[in-house]
């Protein structure tokens, strides 16, 4: 059955409902067209992988292959997690994420982050299949649906889909760069937790988001599992020890290797940073942020 033959398909409706999340690239259902490639074909294309890694090297010409591979994984995860986690978190839908049924259309863009403009690599995402898993009884009767018993099983389905989708790409990057499998899987897990946290803030369901993300990345035996990755809270106090506000952060389990770049540094929640130093630096950043808000300045 073609996509145009079905009205009010749950996946199509979910894509429409979550479209505010996708301002940087398109996320849609459809068929293969010229200029698109499947994720599987991309993973199997040595020239395309080299081109992506060389793109990462354009930011710092001296970067080694391991760092290029780490940054490539982070960029790919940025698109993949943003295209999928809002569907899981808000619509209770895990699409068919097998690499043969995900189409990509790569492009380069410029992105404003904290007042600085950066060159970024992004991709439009197209779901080639309308099959999906869901924990919602109202959607489970659809012929394209696999109904799951509950929220935990939905998160399990998403975890398995991530493992299946990324395993081939990780094998390619291990051979191409020499960066180890555990290091690459840690970056994927970090992306899951970080994006779920942001989606939870946007949807005002931070507690559920934390629980769901941990269900995905803390499954014993999964390549996503590592001890270091977790969420933690910090509370900022005024000079009289009165709480000003609390924030939730993701403690990374993996490392982007940016510290290996000339003039590079450890990220704010880097796994290589001592927790007490990390927390003090984050509190200082929060204090400056609050001061700017109080003064009515943009942050």
């Amino acid at each position: 059955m073609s996509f145009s033959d079905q009205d009010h398909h749950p996946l199509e409706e979910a894509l429409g409902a979550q479209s505010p999340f996708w301002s940087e690239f398109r996320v849609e259902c459809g068929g293969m067209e010229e200029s698109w490639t499947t994720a599987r074909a991309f993973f199997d294309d040595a020239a395309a992988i080299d081109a992506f890694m060389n793109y990462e090297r354009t930011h710092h010409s001296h970067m080694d292959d391991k760092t290029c591979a780490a940054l490539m994984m982070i960029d790919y995860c940025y698109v993949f997690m943003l295209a999928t986690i809002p569907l899981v978190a808000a619509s209770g839908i895990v699409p068919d994420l097998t690499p043969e049924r995900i189409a990509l259309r790569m492009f380069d863009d410029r992105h404003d982050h904290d007042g600085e403009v950066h060159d970024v690599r992004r991709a439009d995402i197209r779901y080639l299949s309308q099959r999906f898993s869901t924990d919602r009884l109202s959607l489970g009767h659809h012929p394209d649906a696999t109904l799951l018993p509950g929220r935990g099983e939905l998160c399990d389905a998403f975890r398995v889909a991530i493992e299946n989708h990324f395993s081939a790409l990780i094998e390619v990057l291990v051979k191409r760069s020499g960066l180890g499998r555990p290091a690459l899987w840690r970056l994927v897990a970090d992306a899951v937790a970080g994006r779920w946290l942001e989606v939870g803030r946007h949807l005002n369901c931070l507690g559920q988001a934390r629980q769901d993300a941990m269900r995905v990345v803390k499954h014993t035996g999964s390549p996503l599992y590592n001890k270091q990755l977790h969420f933690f809270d910090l509370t900022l106090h005024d000079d009289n020890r009165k709480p000003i506000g609390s924030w939730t952060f993701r403690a990374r389990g993996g490392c982007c290797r940016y510290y290996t770049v000339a003039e590079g540094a450890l990220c704010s929640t880097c796994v290589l940073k001592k927790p007490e130093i990390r927390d003090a630096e984050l509190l200082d950043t929060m204090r400056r942020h609050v001061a700017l808000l109080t003064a009515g300045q943009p942050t």
Side-chain angles (χ1 to χ4, degrees):
M1 183 176 288
S2 69
F3 287 91
S4 60
D5 291 333
Q6 299 191 51
D7 293 328
H8 310 299
H9 190 283
L11 178 55
E12 293 274 13
E13 290 189 339
L15 289 170
Q18 307 315 323
S19 60
F21 282 103
W22 303 312
S23 60
E24 296 182 57
F25 51 87
R26 293 165 55 183
V27 183
E28 61 194 25
C29 286
M32 282 296 296
E33 293 181 318
E34 188 177 356
S35 79
W36 292 78
T37 184
T38 66
R40 171 63 66 184
F42 170 62
F43 298 163
D44 292 342
D45 187 341
I49 296 295
D50 282 347
F52 206 132
M53 289 184 59
N54 288 332
Y55 164 81
E56 302 294 357
R57 192 173 278 112
T58 62
H59 300 300
H60 300 279
S61 60
H62 61 280
M63 282 200 307
D64 61 21
D65 285 348
K66 291 181 179 179
T67 305
C68 290
L71 295 178
M72 175 183 166
M73 180 59 79
I74 289 169
D75 278 349
Y76 187 81
C77 283
Y78 181 94
V79 172
F80 183 92
M81 300 308 170
L82 188 52
T84 56
I85 289 176
L87 296 175
V88 184
S91 297
I93 283 179
V94 176
D96 184 345
L97 300 178
T98 54
E100 294 82 2
R101 297 187 181 95
I102 296 290
L104 309 169
R105 183 168 59 183
M106 301 285 185
F107 64 92
D108 296 339
D109 201 3
R110 294 179 66 77
H111 180 59
D112 188 335
H113 179 69
D114 290 340
E116 296 184 6
V117 178
H118 303 272
D119 294 326
V120 295
R121 175 152 290 190
R122 297 291 183 251
D124 294 324
I125 298 286
R126 181 173 288 177
Y127 295 111
L128 302 177
S129 167
Q130 287 186 303
R131 296 289 304 170
F132 66 95
S133 299
T134 183
D135 64 336
R136 300 191 178 180
L137 189 60
S138 60
L139 306 180
H141 62 79
H142 195 278
D144 286 331
T146 297
L147 182 61
L148 303 171
R151 187 76 173 188
E153 289 77 13
L154 184 75
C155 293
D156 291 342
F158 185 55
R159 171 183 55 78
V160 172
I162 290 173
E163 293 169 358
N164 291 338
H165 185 93
F166 278 88
S167 58
L169 176 58
I170 284 176
E171 289 305 309
V172 168
L173 291 179
V174 167
K175 294 177 182 177
R176 173 63 180 79
S177 71
L179 189 60
R181 291 179 188 84
L184 289 163
W185 279 115
R186 284 170 177 257
L187 293 174
V188 179
D190 285 352
V192 172
R195 180 55 58 193
W196 221 308
L197 194 64
E198 292 302 317
V199 171
R201 289 194 182 106
H202 182 85
L203 298 174
N204 197 28
C205 61
L206 195 57
Q208 183 68 56
R210 292 175 61 155
Q211 180 179 331
D212 291 345
M214 289 296 102
R215 173 89 181 209
V216 173
V217 301
K218 291 294 187 179
H219 182 81
T220 302
S222 169
L224 294 168
Y225 179 87
N226 66 79
K227 293 181 179 179
Q228 287 80 8
L229 174 59
H230 64 279
F231 295 123
F232 64 98
D233 298 314
L234 290 177
T235 300
L236 183 65
H237 297 83
D238 63 17
D239 293 338
N240 297 317
R241 299 302 299 164
K242 181 180 179 181
I244 298 174
S246 296
W247 286 263
T248 299
F249 297 92
R250 169 204 57 184
R252 295 174 182 266
C255 180
C256 65
R257 295 178 53 84
Y258 184 67
Y259 75 94
T260 67
V261 176
E263 301 181 1
L266 298 180
C267 297
S268 59
T269 58
C270 182
V271 67
L272 301 178
K273 191 174 289 187
K274 292 183 178 179
E276 58 271 21
I277 294 175
R278 175 201 68 195
D279 293 355
E281 291 176 351
L282 287 171
L283 285 168
D284 188 54
T285 299
M286 292 157 59
R287 191 171 292 107
R288 293 196 302 269
H289 180 82
V290 169
L292 289 173
L293 289 176
T294 302
Q297 299 182 29
T299 58

